[in-house]
């Protein structure tokens, strides 16, 4: 086990132990100023490391200057986690929590052992056939993505074996014609950095530098904007590159990982690269068609972030917003621009994107939807997405960090909206995407205009289906659509009926629980976990399902993305763990649920 090896290392080399203690002290400050740190930890040989393949390539468009990491004392943010957790005071409740945690761990371990036996080193295990899939470079996405989960769940022999295997990954070779920079960043770079922050094993930081050097090459463009779908083969041959069209999330979700890598190595080049993107976003935030939010598509070639009419909170935009308060936490508040961007974005989203739906029991909940800029103004598209369920947790975290107490109520209602949506579907599992009938703008709990009205719901079902709600026989036609499309009450359409093992709902329940200590939230999480495991469990692991609206058991797909082990099961495990395990006052999670150390003083 790694812990045993560390004790032996300290016994043999006291000077190395002193050095490691010194470095860990500075790691918790958030910045390490010793360059080439990776060769001096985890039993690696001392001495300078050779530059990686990607670092040795010629640079076509070097930056005119490299911005240093911010310095000075970090902001003293308020405590994020609740002062007390009432459920922890009940011995029976604590015993129940530990039992549930063990069950979650068993589900993870079963999937991990199957991956280890049948797909070791591949990106994904196919959980029905036992085959392999390689959509993320073929470098072992599940292996790297799950490293910190192994550590958190105290599966140390499995962690040691996985680190040894991960240390052999060759990031210069792949069969993919192009690389998704965003996915590579959050899974591989995020995975290595988090596992290093938790374990201190220098092999992980060395691999993080290797991945960081590779992804940094995607910024070698005339205006230093990154290429989202990147031909790394051409880059490796020395070809010149130009950034192009990209989705907002793809270019705005690199900041946490690049900044943490700079903090750990003392090399500011990665921080400088992503801060250029943030500066462009900040400069254009007030000039979009919906000031405060950015449109879905951006133009990397011209660095234009303010041209477009669709403003979403879920797919294709989600983590761009998520990283604003999290970057503030990661940098200790030394860059006020992230708080300013967040506050403008959340104020606009609450006004234009977040809505209260009509529900059968008049539940006081909120759903995060889309907004469209039209000639007559901003128009709500009342579409809910599983991906958008992270908004409640993000708002709760930011409400505590920034002292925005007024945001706690919408944060709570967004989380409860996702809990309610899970329960509304027949198997207790939420569909990927759906629409609902929104209450009139500004309606609140108790308003007559937001009370359940079956006729109003059916009219919205007809409108969503492109039918005339005033035509003769419209009520019968609405009933036919509801039956054919298997619409639970309140839902007007379901555009994607799958559940693909996503984590966003449990993520927000976990964050809200850590922030408030509410006793009902672990119970909601347990209901969610048992429902998910019931429909996704296979002989080998867990599988995505095609349609959660069917009365019979949903058909499973031969797919298990790495985030099932990296995110979903990690959040379930943590909500049933001691609240001080990965405290939100010490760590901040990237969008793939990889915890990074925050500066503490």
């Amino acid at each position: 086990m790694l812990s045993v090896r560390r004790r032996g290392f300290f016994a043999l080399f006291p000077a190395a132990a002193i050095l490691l203690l010194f470095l860990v002290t500075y790691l918790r400050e958030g910045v390490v100023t010793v360059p080439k740190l990776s060769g001096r930890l985890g039993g690696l040989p001392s001495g300078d490391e050779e530059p990686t393949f990607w670092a040795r390539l010629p640079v076509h468009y070097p930056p005119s200057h490299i911005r240093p990491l911010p310095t000075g004392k970090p902001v003293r943010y308020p405590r994020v986690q609740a002062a007390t957790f009432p459920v922890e005071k009940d011995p029976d409740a604590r015993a129940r929590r530990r039992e549930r945690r063990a069950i979650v761990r068993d589900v993870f371990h079963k999937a991990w052992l199957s991956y280890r036996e049948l797909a070791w080193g591949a990106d994904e295990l196919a959980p029905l056939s036992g085959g392999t899939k390689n959509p993320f470079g073929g470098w072992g996405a599940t292996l790297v993505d799950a490293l910190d989960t192994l550590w958190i769940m105290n599966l140390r022999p499995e962690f040691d074996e996985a680190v040894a295997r991960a240390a052999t990954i060759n990031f210069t070779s792949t069969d993919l014609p192009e690389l998704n920079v965003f996915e590579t960043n959050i899974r591989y770079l995020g995975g290595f950095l988090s596992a290093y922050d938790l374990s201190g094993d220098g092999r992980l930081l060395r691999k993080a530098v290797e991945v960081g050097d590779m992804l940094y090459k995607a910024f070698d463009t005339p205006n230093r904007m990154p290429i989202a779908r990147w031909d790394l083969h051409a880059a490796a041959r020395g070809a010149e590159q130009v950034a192009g069209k990209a989705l907002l999330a793809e270019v705005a979700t690199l900041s946490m990982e690049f900044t943490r890598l700079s903090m750990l190595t003392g090399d500011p080049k990665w921080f400088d690269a992503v801060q250029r993107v943030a500066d462009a976003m900040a400069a254009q935030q007030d000039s979009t068609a919906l000031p405060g939010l950015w449109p879905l598509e951006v133009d990397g070639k011209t660095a234009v972030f303010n041209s477009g009419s669709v403003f979403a909170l879920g797919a294709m935009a989600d983590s761009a917003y998520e990283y604003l308060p999290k970057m503030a936490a990661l940098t200790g508040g030394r860059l006020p621009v992230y708080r300013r961007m967040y506050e403008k974005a959340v104020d606009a989203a609450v006004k234009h994107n977040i809505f209260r739906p009509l529900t059968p029991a008049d539940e006081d909940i909120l759903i995060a939807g889309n907004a469209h800029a039209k000639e007559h103004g901003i128009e709500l598209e009342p579409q809910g997405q599983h991906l958008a369920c992270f908004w409640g947790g993000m708002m709760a975290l930011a409400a505590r960090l920034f002292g925005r107490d007024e945001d706690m109520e919408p944060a709570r209602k967004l989380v409860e909206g996702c809990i309610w949506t899970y329960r509304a579907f027949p198997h207790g599992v939420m569909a990927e995407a759906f629409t609902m009938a929104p209450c009139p703008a500004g309606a609140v709990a108790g308003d007559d205009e937001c009370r359940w009205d079956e006729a109003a719901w059916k009219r919205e079902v007809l409108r969503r289906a492109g039918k005339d709600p005033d035509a003769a026989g419209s009520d019968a036609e609405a009933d036919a659509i509801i039956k054919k499309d298997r619409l639970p009450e309140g839902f007007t359409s379901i555009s994607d009926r799958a559940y693909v093992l996503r984590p966003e709902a449990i993520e927000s329940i976990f964050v809200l629980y850590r922030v408030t200590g509410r006793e009902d939230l672990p119970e909601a999480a347990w209901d969610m976990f048992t429902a998910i495991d019931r429909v996704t469990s296979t002989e080998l692991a867990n599988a995505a399902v095609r349609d959660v609206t069917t009365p019979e058991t949903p058909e499973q797909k031969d797919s298990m993305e790495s985030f099932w082990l990296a995110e979903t099961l990690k959040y379930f495990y943590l909500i049933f763990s001691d609240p001080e395990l990965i405290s939100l006052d010490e760590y901040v999670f990237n969008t793939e649920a990889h915890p990074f150390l925050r500066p503490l003083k």
Side-chain angles (χ1 to χ4, degrees):
M1 292 178 65
L2 185 61
S3 57
V4 172
R5 287 211 300 271
R6 281 181 173 170
R7 284 194 291 271
F9 178 78
F10 291 157
L12 293 173
F13 301 103
I18 293 171
L19 173 61
L20 183 57
L21 179 62
F22 171 80
L23 291 172
V24 168
T25 300
Y26 278 85
L27 284 174
R28 297 182 74 82
E29 280 285 315
V31 178
V32 171
T33 56
V34 180
K36 299 173 183 174
L37 177 65
S38 58
R40 298 185 172 91
L41 291 178
L44 295 174
S46 61
D48 292 344
E49 297 296 329
E50 288 295 322
T52 67
F53 167 82
W54 295 101
R56 294 196 303 269
L57 292 176
V59 178
H60 299 291
Y61 304 102
S64 58
H65 67 282
I66 299 290
R67 180 181 337 209
L69 283 160
T71 57
K73 286 188 176 182
V75 172
R76 288 184 61 85
Y77 283 125
R79 180 180 174 88
V80 172
Q81 295 211 152
T84 61
F85 292 82
V87 71
E88 291 296 307
K89 298 178 181 180
D90 179 352
D92 292 337
R94 286 201 307 273
R96 186 164 58 249
R97 167 176 67 74
R98 294 190 185 103
E99 180 183 2
R100 291 172 174 178
R101 182 184 62 184
I103 293 171
V104 173
R105 187 177 186 263
D106 287 345
V107 170
F108 173 92
H109 201 218
K110 170 187 170 183
W112 176 259
L113 291 178
S114 294
Y115 171 78
R116 172 63 183 86
E117 179 182 355
L118 301 171
W120 193 234
D123 285 344
E124 296 173 5
L125 166 72
L128 297 179
S129 65
T132 62
K133 298 182 179 182
N134 287 301
F136 301 115
W139 296 317
T142 294
L143 174 74
V144 178
D145 226 1
L147 285 172
D148 54 8
T149 313
L150 290 167
W151 181 273
I152 289 167
M153 291 187 178
N154 202 30
L155 295 167
R156 298 301 164 79
E158 291 87 341
F159 176 83
D160 291 347
E161 182 184 35
V163 171
R165 177 63 180 84
T168 70
I169 297 172
N170 178 9
F171 286 105
T172 67
S173 176
T174 180
D175 293 333
L176 292 183
E178 66 177 18
L179 196 69
N180 186 315
V181 169
F182 160 79
E183 297 287 3
T184 306
N185 172 66
I186 64 172
R187 299 180 195 232
Y188 289 105
L189 183 53
F192 282 129
L193 289 169
S194 176
Y196 175 73
D197 264 350
L198 292 169
S199 71
D201 191 314
R203 292 171 295 177
L204 298 166
L205 186 55
R206 175 185 287 172
K207 298 309 287 186
V209 169
E210 187 177 345
V211 177
D213 281 340
M214 175 178 66
L215 296 179
Y216 186 71
K217 189 62 180 173
F219 285 77
D220 188 11
T221 63
N223 62 359
R224 302 298 301 177
M225 289 293 111
I227 302 170
R229 305 301 172 98
W230 179 44
D231 185 346
L232 75 166
H233 301 286
R237 294 193 300 268
E240 295 190 17
Q241 310 172 126
V242 177
K245 302 284 187 182
L247 300 171
L248 176 64
E250 291 179 325
V251 297
T253 313
L254 307 169
S255 53
M256 286 186 69
E257 296 79 9
F258 274 46
T259 298
R260 187 62 185 149
L261 184 57
S262 283
M263 293 166 77
L264 288 169
T265 62
D267 187 340
K269 71 178 185 181
W270 292 287
F271 164 73
D272 171 73
V274 291
Q275 198 58 34
R276 293 171 190 271
V277 177
D279 288 345
M281 292 174 63
Q284 300 174 54
Q285 186 175 16
D286 296 334
S287 60
T288 69
L290 201 173
L293 301 180
W294 294 275
L296 278 183
E297 189 175 76
V298 301
D299 189 338
K301 184 176 181 180
T302 57
V304 170
F305 287 78
N306 62 356
S307 178
S309 61
V310 182
F311 299 85
L313 305 184
M316 300 179 281
D318 43 13
S319 45
Y321 299 105
E322 177 188 357
Y323 273 27
L324 299 178
K326 291 184 174 184
M327 273 295 289
L330 182 65
T331 59
R334 297 182 180 103
L335 295 169
V337 65
Y338 286 102
R339 175 173 179 172
R340 289 197 299 268
M341 283 197 287
Y342 171 78
E343 290 179 338
K344 290 178 181 180
V346 79
D347 287 345
V350 168
K351 182 177 180 181
H352 295 288
N353 294 67
I354 293 173
F355 66 97
R356 184 182 176 200
L358 288 172
T359 60
D362 300 326
E363 284 85 359
D364 188 17
I365 61 174
L366 293 173
I367 301 292
N370 303 328
H372 298 260
K374 305 282 189 177
E375 290 184 4
H376 59 272
I378 305 300
E379 182 178 298
L380 171 70
E381 179 190 1
Q383 182 195 67
Q385 297 179 15
H386 196 292
L387 275 167
C389 276
F390 81 93
W391 265 81
M394 177 195 71
M395 288 184 66
L397 172 68
R400 285 287 185 263
L401 285 173
F402 302 148
R404 288 174 58 98
D405 294 340
E406 68 273 18
D407 287 349
M408 280 304 301
E409 192 66 2
R412 175 188 66 79
K413 292 180 181 181
L414 282 167
V415 176
E416 291 175 356
C418 293
I419 293 172
W420 178 87
T421 307
Y422 260 77
R423 292 171 175 167
F425 282 93
H427 298 283
V429 179
M430 181 196 291
E432 278 284 290
F434 51 86
T435 59
M436 301 187 74
C439 295
V444 296
D447 285 357
D448 288 339
E449 59 188 349
C450 203
R451 294 193 185 280
W452 176 247
D453 184 332
E454 185 173 309
W457 167 51
K458 290 182 177 181
R459 289 175 67 85
E460 288 301 313
V461 169
L462 290 166
R463 271 194 281 266
R464 181 60 57 179
K467 308 294 184 180
D468 181 1
D470 297 317
S474 60
D475 191 67
E477 187 170 26
D479 287 338
I481 293 171
I482 291 166
K483 181 178 179 180
K484 176 178 69 71
D485 292 345
R486 299 187 294 276
L487 299 178
E489 287 187 319
F491 294 84
T492 55
S493 69
I494 303 173
S495 57
D496 190 340
R497 299 167 181 272
Y499 172 69
V500 297
L501 305 174
R502 287 205 189 278
E504 291 79 16
I506 181 56
E507 172 187 353
S508 277
I509 296 172
F510 160 74
V511 174
L512 189 64
Y513 172 64
R514 288 291 186 88
V515 167
T516 65
R518 277 176 42 186
E519 298 179 61
D520 62 308
L521 292 172
E523 293 304 314
W526 182 246
D527 290 344
M528 189 177 290
F529 171 78
T530 55
I532 290 171
D533 190 50
R534 184 169 56 249
V535 300
T536 66
S537 182
T538 76
E539 183 179 347
L540 299 175
N542 294 80
V545 296
R546 299 185 185 278
D547 188 345
V548 297
T549 71
T550 59
E552 62 275 2
T553 301
E555 179 188 358
Q556 296 176 331
K557 301 166 61 176
D558 202 11
S559 173
M560 184 182 74
E561 285 207 48
S562 64
F563 54 64
W564 173 244
L565 301 181
E567 299 187 71
T568 312
L569 290 177
K570 182 186 296 166
Y571 284 127
F572 277 120
Y573 183 84
L574 285 173
I575 201 170
F576 299 122
S577 297
D578 186 302
E580 291 307 307
L581 179 62
I582 314 297
S583 167
L584 297 182
D585 291 304
E586 297 180 7
Y587 292 89
V588 60
F589 288 86
N590 87 333
T591 197
E592 193 75 1
H594 295 307
F596 299 160
L597 276 168
R598 292 172 51 188
L600 297 184
K601 59 183 179 179

